[in-house]
């Protein structure tokens, strides 16, 4: 009986080990590392998704300053354009979810970003929603926080004592013709068109082509969601990414090792979004991810064995938040 149990246990252990080795071969993580190094990108990459957006209101100054000070490699932002032509960091189509637009401009609460001037955007409170939704993480100084311009995010990234990258998404680019050239122009003006510290990203192939035209040396990540994977198939998306960019940014649900392996073998870097739990970091890292977009850059750094310079609370206090 004991001999039979130990035989079964040995077979199970062997099968698990064989599966683990197979997954690593299929995922080809060394090709992802090589592609990252060839492009001068950080490997593995800690990409602070809308800043340290678990601990501070997304895409605001404290979110980006905290991510920078914690040691994130890239600050992630979604860029849109106001009605008077200013580039701002904002994710949603409207301001409804995370500002007081319904109180300030009741008749226009559902309007699109492009319907507001910069002065109107700057009059919104982009912090109080966070305090109301997350009382455990609320801070008095979050009240009244402003939406940032692209220039302001660039300034935050540039104020670090070390090079901090920017990972810039053109959000809804079909609504903003020419925005890629404007983003590139703004970065150039600020001396931030450095391919080793900058990545462009988009769900739109056309937008990535426009980035390629405006700044060919800067890496470009083709973002992929579940619907795109269902509609086009993974291989089709890898082909498109290889044609117009240098990497893929799949949602975690489609980041299977065989998918990541195909992308790696096509010479692409794979950064998975939006991953916030340590068990997910472990699993997807094992599946070959070259880095993550995360709201929890604090936990991701810890996962990669990188010690932050200070505790998040101390950093926020140091910068008067
Ligand atoms: O940019 C990576 C990830 O942010 C894409 O999703 O909707 O958060 O911009 P989203
Ligand atoms: Ca984004």
């Amino acid at each position: 009986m004991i001999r039979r149990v130990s035989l079964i246990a040995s077979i199970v252990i062997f099968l698990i080990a064989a599966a683990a080795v197979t997954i690593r071969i299929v995922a080809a993580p060394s090709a992802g590392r090589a592609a990252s190094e060839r492009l001068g990108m950080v490997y593995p990459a800690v990409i602070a998704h809308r800043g340290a957006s678990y601990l501070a209101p997304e895409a605001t100054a404290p979110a980006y300053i905290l991510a920078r000070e914690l040691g994130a490699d890239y600050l992630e932002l979604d860029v849109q354009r106001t009605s008077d032509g200013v580039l701002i960091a904002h994710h949603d189509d409207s301001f409804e979810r995370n500002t007081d637009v319904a109180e300030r401009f009741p008749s226009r609460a559902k309007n699109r970003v492009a319907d507001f001037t910069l002065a109107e955007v700057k009059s919104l409170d982009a912090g109080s929603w966070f305090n109301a939704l997350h009382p455990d993480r609320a801070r008095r100084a979050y009240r009244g926080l402003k939406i940032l311009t692209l220039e302001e995010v660039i300034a935050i990234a540039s104020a670090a004592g070390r090079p901090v990258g920017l990972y810039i998404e053109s959000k809804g680019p079909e609504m903003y013709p020419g925005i890629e050239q404007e983003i590139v122009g703004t970065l150039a003006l600020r001396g931030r068109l450095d391919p080793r510290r900058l990545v462009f990203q988009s769900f739109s192939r056309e937008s990535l082509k426009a980035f390629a035209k405006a700044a060919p040396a800067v890496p470009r990540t083709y973002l992929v969601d579940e619907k795109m994977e269902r509609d086009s198939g993974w291989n089709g998306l890898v082909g498109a990414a290889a044609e117009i960019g240098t990497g893929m940014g799949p949602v975690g649900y489609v980041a299977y090792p065989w998918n990541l392996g195909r992308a790696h073998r096509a010479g692409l870097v794979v950064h998975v979004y939006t991953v916030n739990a340590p068990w997910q970091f472990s699993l997807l890292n094992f599946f070959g991810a070259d880095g993550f977009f995360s709201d929890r850059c604090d936990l991701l750094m810890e996962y990669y064995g990188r010690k932050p310079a200070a505790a998040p609370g101390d950093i926020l206090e140091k910068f008067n938040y």
Side-chain angles (χ1 to χ4, degrees), residues 224-231 251 253-254 273:
V224 169
D225 63 19
E226 289 160 284
K227 183 172 183 311
M228 290 162 74
E229 207 254 358
R230 263 197 317 274
D231 292 350
V251 67
Y253 301 112
V254 302
Y273 76 90

Side-chain angles (χ1 to χ4, degrees), residues 141-223:
Y142 289 168
R143 274 193 231 147
L145 286 174
K146 302 295 177 203
I147 288 174
L148 301 172
T149 62
L150 170 60
E151 293 227 17
E152 287 167 333
V153 182
I154 293 172
I156 289 172
S158 302
R162 66 186 175 89
V164 181
L166 290 165
Y167 212 122
I168 299 181
E169 180 178 351
S170 52
K171 189 54 97 184
E174 53 290 341
M175 290 187 287
Y176 305 107
I179 195 167
E180 299 83 4
Q181 180 62 58
E182 288 175 30
I183 291 171
V184 168
T186 305
L187 289 159
L189 206 62
R190 300 289 161 216
R192 287 293 314 221
L193 208 54
D194 177 357
R196 291 161 308 163
R197 295 284 173 261
L198 179 63
V199 186
F200 295 128
Q201 44 158 344
S202 187
F203 286 100
S204 157
R205 296 182 192 190
E206 291 312 310
S207 189
L208 288 178
K209 283 183 197 163
F211 276 127
K213 200 169 164 206
V218 176
R220 297 172 301 281
T221 298
Y222 185 28
L223 298 172

Side-chain angles (χ1 to χ4, degrees), residues 49 76-78 91 169 171 201:
H49 183 245
E76 194 267 353
L77 63 154
D78 307 284
H91 176 271
E169 180 178 351
K171 189 54 97 184
Q201 44 158 344

Side-chain angles (χ1 to χ4, degrees), residues 14-284:
F14 172 78
L15 289 175
I16 291 172
V21 170
T22 306
I23 286 173
R24 294 298 279 177
I25 292 170
V26 166
S30 57
R33 178 194 282 266
S36 302
E37 288 172 359
R38 174 173 43 80
L39 291 160
M41 297 167 86
V42 183
Y43 177 93
V46 174
I47 306 160
H49 183 245
R50 308 179 205 170
S53 56
Y54 176 84
L55 295 167
E58 65 185 61
T60 61
Y64 286 123
I65 290 170
L66 181 54
R68 181 192 75 193
E69 296 296 309
L70 282 167
D73 301 311
Y74 298 93
L75 308 183
E76 194 267 353
L77 63 154
D78 307 284
V79 175
Q80 302 192 60
R81 190 166 63 205
T82 62
S83 63
D84 48 351
V86 180
L87 301 179
I88 60 167
H90 185 74
H91 176 271
D92 294 10
D93 290 347
S94 79
F95 294 111
E96 218 182 355
R97 177 178 59 88
N98 59 342
T99 77
D100 59 347
V101 70
E103 287 145 48
R104 298 218 25 100
F105 304 100
S107 65
R108 298 161 63 204
K110 291 185 188 304
N111 285 23
R112 295 196 169 244
V113 167
D115 292 329
F116 292 81
T117 64
L118 180 67
E120 289 171 335
V121 170
K122 282 291 187 182
S123 74
L124 299 174
D125 172 351
S128 293
W129 70 276
F130 182 94
N131 285 351
L133 197 63
H134 306 294
D136 53 322
R137 286 166 255 156
R139 287 181 172 253
R140 190 189 295 261
Y142 289 168
R143 274 193 231 147
L145 286 174
K146 302 295 177 203
I147 288 174
L148 301 172
T149 62
L150 170 60
E151 293 227 17
E152 287 167 333
V153 182
I154 293 172
I156 289 172
S158 302
R162 66 186 175 89
V164 181
L166 290 165
Y167 212 122
I168 299 181
E169 180 178 351
S170 52
K171 189 54 97 184
E174 53 290 341
M175 290 187 287
Y176 305 107
I179 195 167
E180 299 83 4
Q181 180 62 58
E182 288 175 30
I183 291 171
V184 168
T186 305
L187 289 159
L189 206 62
R190 300 289 161 216
R192 287 293 314 221
L193 208 54
D194 177 357
R196 291 161 308 163
R197 295 284 173 261
L198 179 63
V199 186
F200 295 128
Q201 44 158 344
S202 187
F203 286 100
S204 157
R205 296 182 192 190
E206 291 312 310
S207 189
L208 288 178
K209 283 183 197 163
F211 276 127
K213 200 169 164 206
V218 176
R220 297 172 301 281
T221 298
Y222 185 28
L223 298 172
V224 169
D225 63 19
E226 289 160 284
K227 183 172 183 311
M228 290 162 74
E229 207 254 358
R230 263 197 317 274
D231 292 350
S232 304
W234 183 261
N235 291 350
L237 295 169
V238 169
E243 195 184 318
I244 56 180
T246 57
M248 294 183 81
V251 67
Y253 301 112
V254 302
Y256 306 114
W258 46 92
N259 281 352
L260 271 54
R262 277 196 190 275
H264 284 153
R265 288 190 179 86
L268 298 165
V269 171
V270 184
H271 293 148
V272 181
Y273 76 90
T274 300
V275 184
N276 294 328
W279 72 266
Q280 296 168 329
F281 301 147
S282 296
L283 183 71
L284 294 166

